[in-house]
Amino acid sequence: FKSAHFLKREAVNLVAVKKYKEAERKMSLAVKFINYDTQILYVYADVLYNLQRYDESIKYLKEVLEIDSGNEKAQILIGANYM
């Protein structure tokens, strides 16, 4: 069975070639395995942002910030969701 971190790496590669729907499938599975890892939560939020699913993206970014309130990437992306 694929690990959550392996799924995240696959998703990041898919994002690089703008295959956001495929990346979303991998990340939705990854967060089911590990829902406390800020990198996994951030990548999922970024994928959701690129799919224009802003409310869902914000939900995961808030989770990142609950764990790591100083996460600058999450702070920037949460702001972008509101634009």
Coordinates of all heavy atoms in Angstrom, one line a residue:
F1 N 0.9 -1.2 0.0 CA 0.0 0.0 0.0 C 0.9 1.2 0.0 O 1.9 1.3 0.7 CB -0.9 0.0 1.2 CG -2.2 0.7 1.0 CD1 -3.3 0.0 0.4 CD2 -2.4 2.0 1.4 CE1 -4.5 0.6 0.2 CE2 -3.6 2.6 1.2 CZ -4.6 2.0 0.6
K2 N 0.5 2.2 -0.8 CA 1.3 3.4 -0.9 C 1.2 4.3 0.4 O 0.1 4.4 1.0 CB 0.9 4.3 -2.1 CG 1.1 3.6 -3.4 CD 0.6 4.5 -4.5 CE 0.8 3.8 -5.8 NZ 0.4 4.5 -7.0
S3 N 2.3 4.8 0.8 CA 2.3 5.7 2.0 C 1.8 7.0 1.7 O 1.8 7.5 0.5 CB 3.7 5.8 2.6 OG 4.5 6.7 1.8
A4 N 1.4 7.8 2.7 CA 0.9 9.1 2.5 C 2.0 10.0 1.9 O 1.7 10.9 1.0 CB 0.4 9.7 3.8
H5 N 3.2 9.8 2.3 CA 4.3 10.7 1.8 C 4.6 10.4 0.3 O 4.9 11.3 -0.5 CB 5.5 10.6 2.6 CG 5.3 11.2 4.0 ND1 5.3 12.5 4.2 CD2 5.1 10.6 5.2 CE1 5.1 12.8 5.5 NE2 4.9 11.6 6.1
F6 N 4.5 9.1 -0.1 CA 4.6 8.7 -1.5 C 3.5 9.3 -2.3 O 3.8 9.9 -3.4 CB 4.7 7.2 -1.6 CG 4.9 6.7 -3.0 CD1 6.1 6.8 -3.6 CD2 3.8 6.3 -3.8 CE1 6.3 6.4 -4.9 CE2 4.0 5.9 -5.1 CZ 5.2 5.9 -5.7
L7 N 2.3 9.3 -1.8 CA 1.2 9.9 -2.5 C 1.4 11.4 -2.7 O 1.1 12.0 -3.7 CB -0.1 9.6 -1.8 CG -0.6 8.2 -1.8 CD1 -1.7 8.0 -0.8 CD2 -1.1 7.8 -3.2
K8 N 1.9 12.0 -1.6 CA 2.2 13.5 -1.7 C 3.2 13.8 -2.8 O 3.0 14.7 -3.6 CB 2.7 14.0 -0.3 CG 3.0 15.5 -0.4 CD 3.8 15.9 0.9 CE 5.2 15.5 0.7 NZ 6.2 16.1 1.4
R9 N 4.3 13.0 -2.9 CA 5.3 13.2 -3.9 C 4.7 13.0 -5.3 O 5.0 13.8 -6.2 CB 6.5 12.2 -3.7 CG 7.4 12.6 -2.6 CD 8.7 11.9 -2.7 NE 8.6 10.4 -2.5 CZ 8.5 9.8 -1.4 NH1 8.5 10.4 -0.2 NH2 8.3 8.4 -1.4
E10 N 3.8 12.0 -5.5 CA 3.2 11.8 -6.8 C 2.3 13.0 -7.1 O 2.3 13.5 -8.2 CB 2.3 10.6 -6.7 CG 3.1 9.3 -6.8 CD 2.2 8.1 -6.9 OE1 1.1 8.1 -6.4 OE2 2.6 7.1 -7.5
A11 N 1.6 13.5 -6.1 CA 0.7 14.7 -6.3 C 1.5 15.9 -6.7 O 1.1 16.7 -7.5 CB -0.2 14.9 -5.0
V12 N 2.6 16.2 -6.0 CA 3.4 17.3 -6.3 C 3.9 17.2 -7.8 O 3.9 18.3 -8.5 CB 4.6 17.4 -5.3 CG1 5.7 18.4 -5.8 CG2 4.1 17.8 -3.9
N13 N 4.3 16.1 -8.2 CA 4.7 15.9 -9.6 C 3.5 16.2 -10.6 O 3.7 16.7 -11.6 CB 5.2 14.5 -9.9 CG 6.6 14.3 -9.2 OD1 7.3 15.2 -8.9 ND2 6.9 13.0 -8.9
L14 N 2.3 15.8 -10.2 CA 1.1 16.0 -11.0 C 0.8 17.5 -11.0 O 0.4 18.0 -12.1 CB -0.1 15.2 -10.5 CG 0.0 13.7 -10.7 CD1 -1.0 13.0 -9.9 CD2 -0.2 13.4 -12.2
V15 N 0.9 18.2 -9.9 CA 0.7 19.6 -9.9 C 1.7 20.4 -10.8 O 1.3 21.3 -11.5 CB 0.8 20.2 -8.4 CG1 0.9 21.7 -8.4 CG2 -0.3 19.7 -7.6
A16 N 2.9 19.9 -10.8 CA 3.9 20.5 -11.7 C 3.5 20.5 -13.2 O 3.9 21.4 -13.9 CB 5.3 19.8 -11.5
V17 N 2.7 19.5 -13.6 CA 2.2 19.5 -15.0 C 0.7 19.8 -15.0 O 0.0 19.4 -16.0 CB 2.5 18.1 -15.6 CG1 4.0 17.9 -15.8 CG2 1.9 16.9 -14.8
K18 N 0.2 20.5 -14.0 CA -1.2 21.0 -13.9 C -2.3 19.9 -14.1 O -3.3 20.1 -14.6 CB -1.4 22.1 -15.0 CG -0.4 23.3 -14.8 CD -0.8 24.4 -15.7 CE 0.2 25.6 -15.7 NZ 0.7 26.0 -14.4
K19 N -2.0 18.7 -13.5 CA -3.0 17.6 -13.5 C -3.6 17.6 -12.1 O -3.4 16.7 -11.3 CB -2.3 16.3 -13.8 CG -1.9 16.2 -15.3 CD -1.4 14.9 -15.6 CE -1.0 14.8 -17.1 NZ -0.6 13.5 -17.5
Y20 N -4.4 18.7 -11.8 CA -4.9 18.9 -10.5 C -5.9 17.9 -10.0 O -5.9 17.5 -8.8 CB -5.5 20.3 -10.4 CG -4.5 21.4 -10.7 CD1 -4.7 22.2 -11.8 CD2 -3.3 21.6 -9.9 CE1 -3.7 23.2 -12.1 CE2 -2.4 22.5 -10.3 CZ -2.6 23.4 -11.3 OH -1.7 24.3 -11.6
K21 N -6.8 17.4 -10.9 CA -7.8 16.4 -10.5 C -7.1 15.1 -10.1 O -7.5 14.5 -9.1 CB -8.8 16.2 -11.6 CG -9.7 17.4 -11.8 CD -10.8 17.1 -12.8 CE -11.7 18.3 -12.9 NZ -12.8 18.1 -13.8
E22 N -6.1 14.7 -10.8 CA -5.4 13.5 -10.4 C -4.7 13.7 -9.1 O -4.6 12.8 -8.2 CB -4.4 13.1 -11.5 CG -5.0 12.6 -12.8 CD -4.0 12.3 -13.9 OE1 -3.0 11.6 -13.6 OE2 -4.2 12.8 -15.0
A23 N -4.1 14.9 -8.9 CA -3.4 15.2 -7.7 C -4.3 15.2 -6.5 O -4.0 14.7 -5.4 CB -2.7 16.5 -7.8
E24 N -5.6 15.7 -6.8 CA -6.6 15.8 -5.7 C -6.9 14.4 -5.2 O -7.1 14.1 -4.0 CB -7.8 16.5 -6.2 CG -8.8 16.9 -5.1 CD -9.7 15.7 -4.7 OE1 -10.0 14.9 -5.6 OE2 -10.1 15.7 -3.5
R25 N -7.0 13.4 -6.1 CA -7.4 12.0 -5.8 C -6.3 11.5 -4.9 O -6.6 10.8 -3.8 CB -7.6 11.2 -7.0 CG -8.9 11.4 -7.7 CD -9.2 10.3 -8.7 NE -8.3 10.4 -9.9 CZ -8.6 11.2 -10.9 NH1 -9.6 12.0 -11.0 NH2 -7.7 11.2 -11.9
K26 N -5.0 11.7 -5.2 CA -3.9 11.2 -4.4 C -3.9 11.9 -3.0 O -3.7 11.2 -2.0 CB -2.6 11.4 -5.1 CG -2.6 10.5 -6.4 CD -1.2 10.3 -7.0 CE -1.3 9.6 -8.2 NZ -1.5 8.1 -8.1
M27 N -4.1 13.2 -3.0 CA -4.0 13.9 -1.7 C -5.2 13.6 -0.8 O -5.0 13.6 0.4 CB -3.8 15.4 -2.0 CG -2.5 15.8 -2.6 SD -1.1 15.1 -1.7 CE -1.3 15.7 -0.1
S28 N -6.3 13.4 -1.4 CA -7.5 13.1 -0.5 C -7.2 11.7 0.2 O -7.6 11.5 1.3 CB -8.8 13.0 -1.3 OG -8.8 12.0 -2.2
L29 N -6.5 10.8 -0.5 CA -6.2 9.6 0.1 C -5.1 9.8 1.2 O -5.1 9.2 2.3 CB -5.7 8.6 -1.0 CG -5.6 7.1 -0.6 CD1 -6.9 6.6 -0.1 CD2 -5.2 6.3 -1.9
A30 N -4.1 10.6 0.8 CA -3.0 10.9 1.8 C -3.5 11.4 3.1 O -3.0 11.0 4.2 CB -2.0 11.8 1.1
V31 N -4.4 12.4 3.0 CA -4.9 13.0 4.3 C -5.7 12.0 5.1 O -5.8 12.2 6.3 CB -5.6 14.3 4.1 CG1 -4.7 15.4 3.5 CG2 -6.9 14.2 3.3
K32 N -6.2 11.0 4.5 CA -6.9 10.0 5.3 C -6.0 9.2 6.1 O -6.3 8.7 7.2 CB -7.7 9.1 4.3 CG -9.0 9.7 3.8 CD -9.7 8.8 2.8 CE -10.9 9.6 2.2 NZ -11.6 8.8 1.2
F33 N -4.7 9.0 5.6 CA -3.7 8.2 6.3 C -3.0 9.1 7.4 O -2.8 8.6 8.5 CB -2.6 7.7 5.4 CG -3.1 6.7 4.4 CD1 -3.0 6.8 3.0 CD2 -3.8 5.5 4.9 CE1 -3.4 5.9 2.2 CE2 -4.2 4.6 4.0 CZ -4.0 4.7 2.6
I34 N -2.7 10.3 7.0 CA -2.0 11.2 7.9 C -2.6 12.6 7.8 O -2.4 13.3 6.8 CB -0.5 11.3 7.5 CG1 0.2 10.0 7.6 CG2 0.2 12.3 8.5 CD1 1.7 10.0 7.2
N35 N -3.4 12.9 8.8 CA -4.1 14.2 8.8 C -3.5 15.3 9.7 O -4.1 16.2 10.1 CB -5.6 14.0 9.1 CG -5.8 13.5 10.5 OD1 -4.9 13.2 11.2 ND2 -7.1 13.4 10.9
Y36 N -2.3 15.0 10.2 CA -1.6 16.0 11.1 C -0.3 16.5 10.5 O 0.4 17.3 11.1 CB -1.3 15.3 12.4 CG -0.6 14.0 12.3 CD1 0.8 14.0 12.2 CD2 -1.2 12.8 12.2 CE1 1.5 12.8 12.0 CE2 -0.6 11.6 12.0 CZ 0.8 11.6 11.9 OH 1.5 10.4 11.7
D37 N 0.1 16.0 9.3 CA 1.4 16.4 8.7 C 1.2 17.7 8.0 O 0.4 17.8 7.0 CB 1.9 15.3 7.8 CG 3.2 15.6 7.2 OD1 3.3 16.6 6.3 OD2 4.2 14.9 7.5
T38 N 1.8 18.8 8.3 CA 1.6 20.1 7.7 C 1.9 20.1 6.2 O 1.3 20.8 5.5 CB 2.3 21.2 8.4 OG1 3.7 20.9 8.5 CG2 1.8 21.4 9.9
Q39 N 2.9 19.4 5.8 CA 3.3 19.3 4.4 C 2.2 18.7 3.6 O 1.8 19.2 2.5 CB 4.6 18.6 4.2 CG 5.8 19.4 4.7 CD 7.1 18.6 4.4 OE1 7.1 17.4 4.0 NE2 8.2 19.3 4.6
I40 N 1.6 17.6 4.1 CA 0.5 16.9 3.4 C -0.7 17.8 3.3 O -1.3 18.0 2.3 CB 0.3 15.5 4.0 CG1 1.4 14.6 3.7 CG2 -1.1 15.0 3.6 CD1 1.3 13.3 4.4
L41 N -1.0 18.4 4.5 CA -2.2 19.3 4.5 C -2.0 20.5 3.6 O -2.9 20.9 2.9 CB -2.4 19.8 5.9 CG -2.8 18.7 7.0 CD1 -2.8 19.3 8.4 CD2 -4.2 18.2 6.6
Y42 N -0.8 21.1 3.5 CA -0.5 22.2 2.7 C -0.7 21.8 1.2 O -1.3 22.6 0.4 CB 0.9 22.8 2.9 CG 1.1 23.9 2.0 CD1 0.7 25.2 2.2 CD2 1.8 23.7 0.8 CE1 0.9 26.3 1.3 CE2 2.0 24.8 -0.1 CZ 1.6 26.0 0.2 OH 1.8 27.0 -0.7
V43 N -0.1 20.7 0.8 CA -0.1 20.3 -0.6 C -1.6 20.1 -1.0 O -2.0 20.5 -2.1 CB 0.8 19.1 -0.9 CG1 0.5 18.5 -2.3 CG2 2.2 19.4 -0.7
Y44 N -2.3 19.4 -0.1 CA -3.8 19.2 -0.4 C -4.5 20.6 -0.6 O -5.3 20.8 -1.5 CB -4.4 18.4 0.6 CG -5.8 17.8 0.3 CD1 -6.1 17.5 -1.0 CD2 -6.7 17.6 1.2 CE1 -7.4 17.0 -1.4 CE2 -8.0 17.1 0.9 CZ -8.3 16.8 -0.4 OH -9.5 16.3 -0.7
A45 N -4.2 21.5 0.3 CA -4.8 22.8 0.2 C -4.5 23.5 -1.1 O -5.3 24.2 -1.7 CB -4.4 23.7 1.4
D46 N -3.2 23.4 -1.5 CA -2.7 24.0 -2.7 C -3.4 23.4 -4.0 O -3.9 24.1 -4.9 CB -1.2 23.8 -2.9 CG -0.7 24.5 -4.1 OD1 -1.0 25.7 -4.3 OD2 0.1 23.9 -4.8
V47 N -3.6 22.1 -3.9 CA -4.3 21.4 -5.0 C -5.8 21.9 -5.1 O -6.3 22.2 -6.2 CB -4.3 19.9 -4.8 CG1 -5.2 19.2 -5.8 CG2 -2.9 19.3 -5.1
L48 N -6.4 22.0 -3.9 CA -7.8 22.4 -3.9 C -7.9 23.9 -4.4 O -8.8 24.2 -5.1 CB -8.4 22.3 -2.5 CG -8.5 20.8 -2.0 CD1 -8.8 20.8 -0.5 CD2 -9.6 20.1 -2.7
Y49 N -6.9 24.7 -4.0 CA -6.9 26.1 -4.5 C -6.8 26.1 -6.0 O -7.6 26.9 -6.6 CB -5.7 26.8 -3.9 CG -5.4 28.2 -4.5 CD1 -6.2 29.2 -4.0 CD2 -4.5 28.3 -5.4 CE1 -6.0 30.5 -4.6 CE2 -4.3 29.6 -6.0 CZ -5.0 30.7 -5.6 OH -4.8 31.9 -6.1
N50 N -6.0 25.3 -6.6 CA -5.8 25.3 -8.0 C -7.1 24.7 -8.7 O -7.3 25.0 -9.9 CB -4.6 24.5 -8.4 CG -3.4 25.3 -8.3 OD1 -3.1 26.3 -9.0 ND2 -2.5 24.9 -7.3
L51 N -7.9 24.0 -8.0 CA -9.2 23.5 -8.5 C -10.3 24.5 -8.2 O -11.5 24.2 -8.5 CB -9.5 22.1 -7.9 CG -8.7 21.0 -8.4 CD1 -8.9 19.7 -7.6 CD2 -8.9 20.7 -9.9
Q52 N -10.0 25.6 -7.7 CA -10.9 26.7 -7.3 C -11.9 26.2 -6.3 O -13.0 26.7 -6.2 CB -11.6 27.3 -8.5 CG -10.6 27.9 -9.5 CD -11.3 28.5 -10.7 OE1 -12.4 28.2 -11.0 NE2 -10.5 29.3 -11.5
R53 N -11.5 25.3 -5.4 CA -12.3 24.8 -4.3 C -11.8 25.5 -3.0 O -11.2 24.9 -2.2 CB -12.2 23.3 -4.2 CG -12.9 22.7 -5.4 CD -12.7 21.2 -5.6 NE -12.9 20.4 -4.4 CZ -12.6 19.1 -4.4 NH1 -12.1 18.5 -5.5 NH2 -12.7 18.4 -3.3
Y54 N -12.1 26.8 -3.0 CA -11.4 27.7 -2.0 C -11.9 27.4 -0.6 O -11.0 27.4 0.3 CB -11.7 29.2 -2.4 CG -11.3 29.5 -3.8 CD1 -12.2 30.0 -4.7 CD2 -9.9 29.4 -4.1 CE1 -11.8 30.3 -6.0 CE2 -9.5 29.7 -5.4 CZ -10.4 30.2 -6.4 OH -10.0 30.5 -7.6
D55 N -13.1 27.1 -0.3 CA -13.6 26.9 1.0 C -12.8 25.6 1.6 O -12.4 25.6 2.8 CB -15.1 26.7 1.1 CG -15.8 28.0 0.9 OD1 -15.2 29.0 1.0 OD2 -17.0 27.9 0.6
E56 N -12.7 24.6 0.8 CA -12.0 23.4 1.2 C -10.5 23.7 1.4 O -9.9 23.2 2.4 CB -12.2 22.3 0.2 CG -13.6 21.8 0.1 CD -13.8 20.8 -1.1 OE1 -13.5 19.6 -0.9 OE2 -14.1 21.3 -2.2
S57 N -9.9 24.5 0.5 CA -8.5 24.8 0.7 C -8.3 25.6 2.0 O -7.3 25.2 2.7 CB -8.1 25.7 -0.5 OG -6.7 26.1 -0.4
I58 N -9.2 26.5 2.3 CA -9.0 27.3 3.5 C -9.1 26.4 4.7 O -8.4 26.5 5.7 CB -10.1 28.4 3.6 CG1 -9.7 29.5 2.5 CG2 -10.2 29.0 5.0 CD1 -10.8 30.5 2.3
K59 N -10.0 25.4 4.7 CA -10.2 24.4 5.8 C -8.9 23.7 6.1 O -8.4 23.7 7.3 CB -11.2 23.4 5.5 CG -11.4 22.3 6.5 CD -12.3 21.2 6.0 CE -12.4 20.0 6.9 NZ -11.7 18.8 6.4
Y60 N -8.2 23.3 5.1 CA -6.9 22.6 5.3 C -5.8 23.5 5.7 O -4.9 23.2 6.5 CB -6.5 21.7 4.1 CG -7.4 20.5 4.0 CD1 -8.5 20.4 3.2 CD2 -7.2 19.4 4.9 CE1 -9.3 19.3 3.1 CE2 -8.1 18.3 4.9 CZ -9.1 18.3 4.0 OH -9.9 17.2 4.0
L61 N -5.8 24.7 5.2 CA -4.8 25.7 5.6 C -5.0 26.1 7.0 O -4.0 26.3 7.8 CB -4.9 26.9 4.7 CG -4.4 26.7 3.2 CD1 -4.8 27.8 2.3 CD2 -2.9 26.4 3.2
K62 N -6.2 26.2 7.5 CA -6.4 26.5 8.9 C -5.9 25.4 9.8 O -5.3 25.6 10.9 CB -7.9 26.7 9.2 CG -8.4 28.1 8.7 CD -9.9 28.3 9.0 CE -10.3 29.7 8.6 NZ -11.8 29.9 8.8
E63 N -6.0 24.1 9.3 CA -5.4 23.0 10.1 C -3.9 23.1 10.1 O -3.3 22.9 11.2 CB -5.9 21.7 9.5 CG -7.3 21.4 9.6 CD -7.8 20.0 9.1 OE1 -6.9 19.1 9.0 OE2 -8.9 19.9 8.7
V64 N -3.3 23.5 9.0 CA -1.8 23.7 9.0 C -1.5 24.8 10.0 O -0.6 24.6 10.8 CB -1.3 24.2 7.6 CG1 0.1 24.6 7.7 CG2 -1.5 23.1 6.6
L65 N -2.2 25.9 10.1 CA -1.9 27.0 11.0 C -2.2 26.7 12.4 O -1.5 27.2 13.3 CB -2.6 28.3 10.5 CG -2.1 28.8 9.2 CD1 -3.0 29.9 8.7 CD2 -0.6 29.2 9.2
E66 N -3.1 25.7 12.7 CA -3.3 25.3 14.0 C -2.1 24.5 14.6 O -1.8 24.6 15.7 CB -4.6 24.4 14.1 CG -5.9 25.1 14.0 CD -7.1 24.2 14.1 OE1 -7.0 23.1 14.5 OE2 -8.2 24.7 13.6
I67 N -1.5 23.8 13.7 CA -0.3 23.0 14.1 C 0.9 23.9 14.1 O 1.8 23.8 15.0 CB -0.1 21.8 13.1 CG1 -1.3 20.9 13.2 CG2 1.2 21.0 13.4 CD1 -1.4 19.8 12.0
D68 N 1.0 24.7 13.1 CA 2.2 25.6 12.9 C 1.8 27.0 12.5 O 1.7 27.3 11.4 CB 3.1 25.0 11.8 CG 4.4 25.8 11.5 OD1 4.7 26.8 12.3 OD2 5.0 25.5 10.5
S69 N 1.5 27.8 13.5 CA 1.0 29.2 13.3 C 1.9 30.1 12.5 O 1.5 31.1 12.0 CB 0.6 29.8 14.6 OG 1.7 30.0 15.5
G70 N 3.2 29.7 12.5 CA 4.2 30.5 11.8 C 4.4 30.1 10.3 O 5.3 30.6 9.7
N71 N 3.6 29.2 9.8 CA 3.9 28.6 8.5 C 3.5 29.7 7.4 O 2.4 30.0 7.2 CB 3.0 27.4 8.3 CG 3.3 26.7 7.0 OD1 3.3 27.3 5.9 ND2 3.5 25.4 7.1
E72 N 4.6 30.3 6.9 CA 4.4 31.4 6.0 C 3.7 31.0 4.7 O 2.9 31.8 4.1 CB 5.8 32.1 5.7 CG 6.3 32.8 6.9 CD 7.7 33.5 6.6 OE1 8.0 33.7 5.4 OE2 8.4 33.8 7.5
K73 N 4.0 29.9 4.2 CA 3.4 29.4 2.9 C 1.9 29.3 3.1 O 1.1 29.7 2.2 CB 4.0 28.1 2.4 CG 5.4 28.2 1.9 CD 6.1 27.0 1.3 CE 5.4 25.7 1.4 NZ 6.1 24.6 0.8
A74 N 1.5 28.7 4.2 CA 0.1 28.6 4.5 C -0.6 29.9 4.7 O -1.7 30.2 4.2 CB -0.2 27.7 5.7
Q75 N 0.1 30.9 5.3 CA -0.5 32.2 5.5 C -0.7 32.9 4.2 O -1.7 33.5 3.9 CB 0.5 33.0 6.4 CG 0.5 32.6 7.8 CD 1.6 33.2 8.6 OE1 2.4 34.0 8.1 NE2 1.6 33.0 9.9
I76 N 0.3 32.8 3.3 CA 0.2 33.4 2.0 C -0.9 32.8 1.1 O -1.7 33.5 0.5 CB 1.5 33.3 1.2 CG1 2.6 34.2 1.9 CG2 1.4 33.7 -0.3 CD1 4.0 34.0 1.5
L77 N -1.0 31.4 1.2 CA -2.0 30.8 0.4 C -3.4 31.0 0.9 O -4.4 31.2 0.1 CB -1.8 29.3 0.3 CG -2.7 28.5 -0.7 CD1 -2.7 29.0 -2.1 CD2 -2.3 27.0 -0.7
I78 N -3.6 31.1 2.2 CA -4.9 31.4 2.8 C -5.3 32.8 2.3 O -6.5 33.0 2.0 CB -4.9 31.2 4.3 CG1 -6.4 30.9 4.7 CG2 -4.4 32.4 5.0 CD1 -6.5 30.4 6.2
G79 N -4.4 33.7 2.3 CA -4.7 35.1 1.7 C -5.1 35.0 0.3 O -6.1 35.7 -0.1
A80 N -4.4 34.2 -0.5 CA -4.7 34.1 -1.9 C -6.1 33.5 -2.1 O -6.8 33.9 -3.1 CB -3.7 33.2 -2.6
N81 N -6.6 32.7 -1.3 CA -7.9 32.1 -1.3 C -9.0 33.1 -1.2 O -10.1 33.0 -1.7 CB -8.1 31.0 -0.3 CG -7.7 29.6 -0.7 OD1 -8.4 29.0 -1.4 ND2 -6.5 29.2 -0.2
Y82 N -8.7 34.2 -0.5 CA -9.7 35.2 -0.3 C -9.7 36.3 -1.4 O -10.5 37.2 -1.4 CB -9.5 35.9 1.1 CG -9.9 35.0 2.2 CD1 -9.0 34.4 3.1 CD2 -11.3 34.8 2.5 CE1 -9.4 33.6 4.1 CE2 -11.7 34.0 3.5 CZ -10.7 33.4 4.4 OH -11.1 32.6 5.4
M83 N -8.8 36.2 -2.3 CA -8.7 37.2 -3.4 C -9.6 36.9 -4.5 O -10.1 35.9 -4.7 CB -7.2 37.4 -3.9 CG -6.3 37.8 -2.8 SD -4.6 38.0 -3.3 CE -4.6 39.7 -3.6

